Amino acid sequence: MNIILLGPPGSGKGTQAKNITSEYGYVQLSTGDMLRKEYCSDSKIGLELKALMDGGNLVSDEIVIGIVEERIFQNGITTGFMLDGFPRNKAQAKKLDAMLAGKNEHINMVIRLLVDDEVVVRRIAGRRFHLKSGRSYHVEFNPPEISGKDDLTGDYLVQRADDNEEVVQSRLDIYREQTEPLVKYYEEKNVLVSIDGIGTPDEIFARIKTALEQ
Ligand code: AP5
Ligand code: MG
């Protein structure tokens, strides 16, 4: 199975991707996590990425497509993959289709998480993040075992620079403008499944499992 997780910032893509990986073994490819790793370096490109991402703006298609192409095709993924945060506009979606077609592969399912803007803002305000792995927690809804520390490594958790209210609003606007048109794009390909993204992470995962196993 090759899957896309589609949804606004804070809709739970990263949270559910971790669940899907542990249950089904599909490899999570989060362009946000990959870019954040890149921007931790002090290189020129690292600093450019940091400026764009901290302000909630999209990184250029060229950079993102290059990263995805390398990760999907050069690492020999055999179990199937799950794209989290990619594609984010039509140009990226078309390029992805072309890349996959060239390898006799395609997208089997696009899982769209439906969440209201107010919920997004509350989730993002309380999010704490493990930078190296991309694991996300929430101070109230999904707290780590030890406050402020990652469950697996014990590393300190951080707050993402783009997780403040002003930047979140602009990320939501960009989502509506550039990414939401992909709903129609994938509906027309008959691969879109919309999942109610409100509820506990376990409830939402149960809905996703039902969709995946149908
Ligand atoms: P990216 O990292 O992809 O961020 P995003 O799409 O804005 O999504 P988030 O990671 O913020 O949210 P999520 O849906 O993963 O939610 P999570 O599970 O953490 O992208 C960041 C930036 O990178 C972009 O702005 C752009 O600059 C760049 N970029 C990335 N991809 C790109 C591309 N393709 N093209 C160009 N630029 C690109 O959950 C959120 C919080 O809620 C957590 O605290 C979690 O614990 C909690 N939570 C989750 N589920 C529940 C629940 N059911 N109930 C209560 N709390 C919950
Ligand atoms: Mg995420």
Coordinates of all heavy atoms in Angstrom, one line a residue, residues 157-212:
L157 N 11.9 17.6 25.0 CA 11.0 18.0 23.9 C 11.1 19.5 23.7 O 11.4 20.2 24.6 CB 9.6 17.5 24.3 CG 9.4 16.0 24.6 CD1 8.0 15.8 25.1 CD2 9.7 15.2 23.4
V158 N 10.7 19.9 22.5 CA 10.8 21.3 22.2 C 9.4 21.7 21.6 O 8.6 20.9 21.2 CB 11.9 21.6 21.1 CG1 13.3 21.4 21.7 CG2 11.7 20.9 19.8
Q159 N 9.3 23.0 21.5 CA 8.1 23.6 20.8 C 8.5 24.1 19.4 O 9.6 24.7 19.3 CB 7.5 24.7 21.6 CG 6.0 24.8 21.5 CD 5.4 25.8 22.5 OE1 6.0 26.3 23.3 NE2 4.1 26.0 22.3
R160 N 7.8 23.7 18.4 CA 8.2 24.1 17.1 C 8.1 25.6 16.9 O 7.1 26.2 17.4 CB 7.4 23.4 16.0 CG 8.1 22.1 15.5 CD 7.2 21.3 14.7 NE 6.5 21.9 13.6 CZ 5.6 21.3 12.7 NH1 5.4 20.0 12.9 NH2 5.0 21.9 11.8
A161 N 9.0 26.3 16.2 CA 9.0 27.7 16.0 C 7.7 28.2 15.2 O 7.3 29.3 15.4 CB 10.2 28.2 15.3
D162 N 7.2 27.3 14.4 CA 6.0 27.7 13.6 C 4.7 27.3 14.3 O 3.6 27.5 13.8 CB 6.0 27.0 12.2 CG 6.1 25.5 12.3 OD1 6.4 24.9 13.3 OD2 5.9 24.8 11.2
D163 N 4.8 26.9 15.6 CA 3.6 26.6 16.4 C 3.1 27.7 17.2 O 2.7 27.5 18.4 CB 3.9 25.3 17.2 CG 3.7 24.1 16.5 OD1 3.4 24.1 15.3 OD2 4.0 23.0 17.0
N164 N 3.2 29.0 16.8 CA 2.5 30.0 17.5 C 1.3 30.5 16.7 O 1.2 30.3 15.5 CB 3.5 31.2 17.8 CG 3.9 31.9 16.6 OD1 3.1 32.6 15.9 ND2 5.2 31.8 16.1
E165 N 0.4 31.1 17.5 CA -1.0 31.3 16.9 C -1.0 32.1 15.6 O -1.7 31.7 14.7 CB -1.8 32.1 18.0 CG -3.3 31.7 17.9 CD -4.1 32.1 19.1 OE1 -3.6 31.9 20.2 OE2 -5.1 32.7 18.8
E166 N -0.1 33.1 15.5 CA -0.1 33.9 14.3 C 0.4 33.1 13.0 O -0.3 33.1 12.0 CB 0.9 35.1 14.5 CG 0.6 36.3 13.7 CD 1.7 37.3 14.0 OE1 1.7 37.7 15.2 OE2 2.4 37.8 13.2
V167 N 1.4 32.3 13.3 CA 2.0 31.5 12.2 C 1.0 30.4 11.8 O 0.8 30.0 10.6 CB 3.4 31.0 12.5 CG1 3.9 30.1 11.4 CG2 4.4 32.1 12.7
V168 N 0.3 29.8 12.8 CA -0.7 28.8 12.6 C -1.8 29.3 11.6 O -2.2 28.6 10.7 CB -1.3 28.2 13.9 CG1 -2.5 27.3 13.6 CG2 -0.2 27.5 14.7
Q169 N -2.2 30.5 11.9 CA -3.3 31.1 11.1 C -2.8 31.2 9.6 O -3.5 30.8 8.7 CB -3.7 32.5 11.6 CG -5.0 32.9 11.0 CD -6.1 31.9 11.1 OE1 -6.4 31.4 12.2 NE2 -6.7 31.5 10.0
S170 N -1.6 31.6 9.4 CA -1.1 31.7 8.1 C -0.9 30.3 7.4 O -1.1 30.1 6.2 CB 0.2 32.6 8.1 OG 1.2 32.1 7.3
R171 N -0.4 29.3 8.2 CA -0.3 27.9 7.7 C -1.7 27.4 7.3 O -1.8 26.7 6.3 CB 0.3 27.0 8.8 CG 1.8 27.2 8.9 CD 2.3 26.7 10.3 NE 2.2 25.2 10.4 CZ 2.3 24.6 11.6 NH1 2.5 25.3 12.7 NH2 2.1 23.3 11.6
L172 N -2.7 27.7 8.1 CA -4.1 27.3 7.7 C -4.5 27.9 6.4 O -5.1 27.3 5.5 CB -5.1 27.6 8.8 CG -5.1 26.7 10.0 CD1 -5.9 27.3 11.2 CD2 -5.7 25.3 9.6
D173 N -4.2 29.2 6.2 CA -4.6 29.9 5.0 C -3.9 29.3 3.8 O -4.5 29.0 2.7 CB -4.2 31.4 5.0 CG -5.0 32.2 6.1 OD1 -6.1 31.7 6.5 OD2 -4.6 33.3 6.5
I174 N -2.6 29.0 3.9 CA -1.9 28.3 2.8 C -2.4 27.0 2.5 O -2.6 26.6 1.4 CB -0.3 28.2 3.2 CG1 0.3 29.7 3.2 CG2 0.4 27.4 2.2 CD1 1.7 29.7 3.7
Y175 N -2.8 26.3 3.6 CA -3.4 24.9 3.4 C -4.7 25.0 2.6 O -4.9 24.3 1.6 CB -3.8 24.3 4.8 CG -4.4 22.9 4.6 CD1 -3.7 21.8 4.3 CD2 -5.8 22.8 4.6 CE1 -4.3 20.6 4.1 CE2 -6.4 21.6 4.4 CZ -5.7 20.5 4.1 OH -6.3 19.3 3.9
R176 N -5.6 26.0 2.9 CA -6.9 26.1 2.2 C -6.6 26.5 0.7 O -7.3 25.9 -0.1 CB -7.7 27.2 2.8 CG -8.1 27.1 4.2 CD -9.4 26.3 4.4 NE -9.6 26.1 5.9 CZ -9.3 25.0 6.5 NH1 -8.8 23.9 5.9 NH2 -9.4 24.9 7.8
E177 N -5.7 27.4 0.5 CA -5.4 27.9 -0.8 C -4.7 26.9 -1.7 O -5.1 26.6 -2.8 CB -4.5 29.1 -0.6 CG -4.7 30.2 -1.6 CD -3.8 31.3 -1.2 OE1 -4.2 32.1 -0.2 OE2 -2.6 31.4 -1.7
Q178 N -3.7 26.2 -1.2 CA -2.8 25.4 -2.1 C -3.0 23.9 -1.9 O -2.9 23.2 -2.9 CB -1.4 25.7 -1.7 CG -1.0 27.2 -1.9 CD 0.4 27.4 -2.3 OE1 1.1 26.5 -2.9 NE2 1.0 28.5 -1.9
T179 N -3.4 23.5 -0.7 CA -3.4 22.0 -0.5 C -4.8 21.4 -0.6 O -5.0 20.3 -1.1 CB -2.8 21.7 0.9 OG1 -1.5 22.3 1.0 CG2 -2.5 20.2 1.0
E180 N -5.8 22.2 -0.1 CA -7.1 21.6 -0.1 C -7.6 21.3 -1.6 O -8.4 20.3 -1.7 CB -8.1 22.6 0.6 CG -9.3 21.8 1.2 CD -9.8 22.4 2.4 OE1 -10.4 23.5 2.3 OE2 -9.7 21.7 3.5
P181 N -7.2 22.0 -2.6 CA -7.6 21.6 -3.9 C -7.3 20.1 -4.3 O -7.8 19.5 -5.2 CB -6.9 22.5 -4.9 CG -6.7 23.8 -4.0 CD -6.5 23.3 -2.6
L182 N -6.3 19.5 -3.5 CA -6.0 18.1 -3.8 C -7.1 17.2 -3.4 O -7.1 16.0 -3.8 CB -4.7 17.8 -3.0 CG -3.4 18.5 -3.4 CD1 -2.2 18.0 -2.6 CD2 -3.2 18.3 -4.9
V183 N -8.0 17.6 -2.6 CA -9.2 16.8 -2.2 C -9.9 16.4 -3.5 O -10.2 15.2 -3.8 CB -10.1 17.5 -1.2 CG1 -11.5 16.8 -1.1 CG2 -9.4 17.7 0.1
K184 N -10.2 17.4 -4.3 CA -10.9 17.1 -5.6 C -10.0 16.3 -6.5 O -10.5 15.3 -7.1 CB -11.2 18.5 -6.2 CG -12.1 18.4 -7.5 CD -12.9 19.6 -7.7 CE -13.6 19.6 -9.0 NZ -12.8 20.0 -10.2
Y185 N -8.8 16.6 -6.5 CA -7.8 15.9 -7.4 C -7.8 14.4 -7.1 O -7.9 13.5 -8.0 CB -6.4 16.5 -7.2 CG -5.3 15.9 -8.0 CD1 -5.0 16.4 -9.3 CD2 -4.5 14.8 -7.5 CE1 -4.0 15.8 -10.0 CE2 -3.5 14.3 -8.3 CZ -3.2 14.8 -9.5 OH -2.2 14.3 -10.3
Y186 N -7.8 14.0 -5.8 CA -7.8 12.6 -5.5 C -9.2 12.0 -5.5 O -9.3 10.8 -5.7 CB -7.1 12.4 -4.1 CG -5.6 12.6 -4.3 CD1 -4.9 13.6 -3.6 CD2 -4.8 11.8 -5.1 CE1 -3.6 13.9 -3.8 CE2 -3.5 12.0 -5.3 CZ -2.8 13.0 -4.6 OH -1.5 13.2 -4.8
E187 N -10.2 12.8 -5.3 CA -11.6 12.3 -5.4 C -11.8 11.8 -6.8 O -12.4 10.7 -7.0 CB -12.6 13.4 -5.1 CG -13.5 13.2 -3.9 CD -14.2 14.5 -3.5 OE1 -14.2 15.5 -4.3 OE2 -14.7 14.5 -2.4
E188 N -11.3 12.6 -7.8 CA -11.5 12.2 -9.2 C -10.7 10.9 -9.5 O -11.1 10.2 -10.5 CB -11.1 13.4 -10.1 CG -12.1 14.5 -10.1 CD -11.7 15.8 -10.7 OE1 -10.5 15.8 -11.2 OE2 -12.5 16.7 -10.8
K189 N -9.7 10.6 -8.7 CA -9.0 9.4 -9.0 C -9.6 8.2 -8.1 O -9.0 7.1 -8.1 CB -7.5 9.6 -8.6 CG -6.8 10.5 -9.5 CD -5.3 10.7 -9.1 CE -4.6 11.7 -10.0 NZ -4.4 11.2 -11.4
N190 N -10.6 8.5 -7.4 CA -11.3 7.5 -6.6 C -10.4 6.8 -5.5 O -10.5 5.6 -5.2 CB -11.8 6.3 -7.5 CG -13.1 6.7 -8.1 OD1 -14.0 7.3 -7.4 ND2 -13.3 6.3 -9.3
V191 N -9.5 7.6 -4.9 CA -8.7 7.1 -3.9 C -8.8 7.8 -2.5 O -8.2 7.5 -1.6 CB -7.2 7.1 -4.3 CG1 -6.9 6.0 -5.3 CG2 -6.7 8.4 -4.7
L192 N -9.7 8.8 -2.5 CA -9.9 9.6 -1.3 C -10.8 9.0 -0.3 O -11.9 8.6 -0.6 CB -10.4 11.0 -1.7 CG -10.3 12.0 -0.5 CD1 -9.0 12.7 -0.4 CD2 -11.5 13.0 -0.5
V193 N -10.3 8.9 1.0 CA -11.2 8.5 2.1 C -11.2 9.6 3.1 O -10.1 9.9 3.6 CB -10.7 7.1 2.7 CG1 -11.6 6.7 3.9 CG2 -10.7 6.0 1.7
S194 N -12.3 10.1 3.5 CA -12.4 11.2 4.5 C -12.7 10.5 5.9 O -13.6 9.8 6.0 CB -13.4 12.2 4.2 OG -13.0 12.9 3.0
I195 N -11.8 10.9 6.9 CA -12.0 10.3 8.2 C -12.3 11.5 9.2 O -11.6 12.5 9.1 CB -10.7 9.6 8.6 CG1 -10.3 8.5 7.7 CG2 -10.7 9.2 10.1 CD1 -10.9 7.2 7.9
D196 N -13.3 11.3 10.1 CA -13.5 12.3 11.1 C -12.3 12.3 12.0 O -12.0 11.3 12.7 CB -14.8 11.8 11.9 CG -15.1 12.8 13.0 OD1 -14.4 13.8 13.2 OD2 -16.1 12.5 13.7
G197 N -11.6 13.5 12.1 CA -10.4 13.6 12.8 C -10.6 14.1 14.3 O -9.6 14.5 14.9
I198 N -11.9 14.2 14.7 CA -12.2 14.6 16.1 C -12.4 13.4 16.9 O -13.1 12.5 16.5 CB -13.4 15.5 16.1 CG1 -13.3 16.7 15.1 CG2 -13.7 16.0 17.5 CD1 -12.4 17.8 15.6
G199 N -11.8 13.4 18.1 CA -11.9 12.2 19.0 C -10.5 12.0 19.6 O -9.6 12.7 19.4
T200 N -10.4 10.9 20.3 CA -9.1 10.6 20.9 C -8.2 10.0 19.7 O -8.8 9.4 18.8 CB -9.2 9.5 22.0 OG1 -9.6 8.3 21.4 CG2 -10.1 10.0 23.1
P201 N -6.9 10.0 19.9 CA -6.0 9.4 18.9 C -6.4 7.9 18.6 O -6.4 7.5 17.4 CB -4.6 9.5 19.4 CG -4.7 10.8 20.3 CD -6.1 10.8 20.9
D202 N -6.8 7.2 19.6 CA -7.2 5.8 19.5 C -8.4 5.6 18.6 O -8.6 4.8 17.8 CB -7.3 5.1 20.8 CG -6.0 4.8 21.5 OD1 -4.9 5.0 20.8 OD2 -6.0 4.4 22.7
E203 N -9.4 6.5 18.9 CA -10.7 6.4 18.2 C -10.4 6.7 16.7 O -11.0 6.1 15.8 CB -11.7 7.5 18.7 CG -12.3 7.1 20.0 CD -13.0 8.2 20.8 OE1 -12.9 9.4 20.3 OE2 -13.7 7.9 21.8
I204 N -9.6 7.7 16.5 CA -9.3 8.1 15.1 C -8.5 6.9 14.4 O -8.8 6.6 13.2 CB -8.5 9.4 15.0 CG1 -9.5 10.5 15.5 CG2 -8.1 9.7 13.6 CD1 -8.8 11.7 16.0
F205 N -7.6 6.3 15.1 CA -6.8 5.2 14.5 C -7.8 4.1 14.2 O -7.6 3.4 13.1 CB -5.7 4.8 15.4 CG -4.9 3.7 14.8 CD1 -4.4 3.8 13.5 CD2 -4.5 2.5 15.5 CE1 -3.6 2.8 13.0 CE2 -3.8 1.5 15.0 CZ -3.3 1.7 13.7
A206 N -8.8 3.8 15.0 CA -9.7 2.7 14.8 C -10.5 3.0 13.4 O -10.7 2.1 12.6 CB -10.7 2.6 15.9
R207 N -10.8 4.3 13.2 CA -11.5 4.6 11.9 C -10.6 4.4 10.7 O -11.0 3.9 9.7 CB -11.9 6.1 12.0 CG -13.0 6.4 13.0 CD -13.3 7.9 13.1 NE -13.9 8.1 14.4 CZ -13.8 9.2 15.1 NH1 -13.0 10.2 14.7 NH2 -14.4 9.3 16.3
I208 N -9.3 4.7 10.9 CA -8.3 4.5 9.8 C -8.2 3.0 9.5 O -8.1 2.6 8.4 CB -7.0 5.2 10.2 CG1 -7.2 6.7 10.2 CG2 -5.9 4.8 9.2 CD1 -5.9 7.5 10.6
K209 N -8.1 2.2 10.6 CA -7.9 0.8 10.4 C -9.1 0.2 9.6 O -8.9 -0.6 8.7 CB -7.8 0.1 11.7 CG -6.4 0.0 12.3 CD -6.4 -0.4 13.7 CE -6.5 -1.9 13.8 NZ -6.2 -2.4 15.2
T210 N -10.3 0.7 9.9 CA -11.5 0.2 9.2 C -11.3 0.5 7.7 O -11.6 -0.3 6.9 CB -12.8 0.8 9.8 OG1 -12.8 0.6 11.2 CG2 -14.0 0.3 9.1
A211 N -10.9 1.7 7.5 CA -10.8 2.1 6.0 C -9.7 1.3 5.3 O -9.9 0.9 4.2 CB -10.4 3.6 6.0
L212 N -8.6 1.1 6.0 CA -7.4 0.4 5.4 C -7.8 -1.1 5.2 O -7.3 -1.7 4.3 CB -6.2 0.5 6.3 CG -5.4 1.8 6.3 CD1 -4.3 1.8 7.3 CD2 -4.8 2.0 4.9

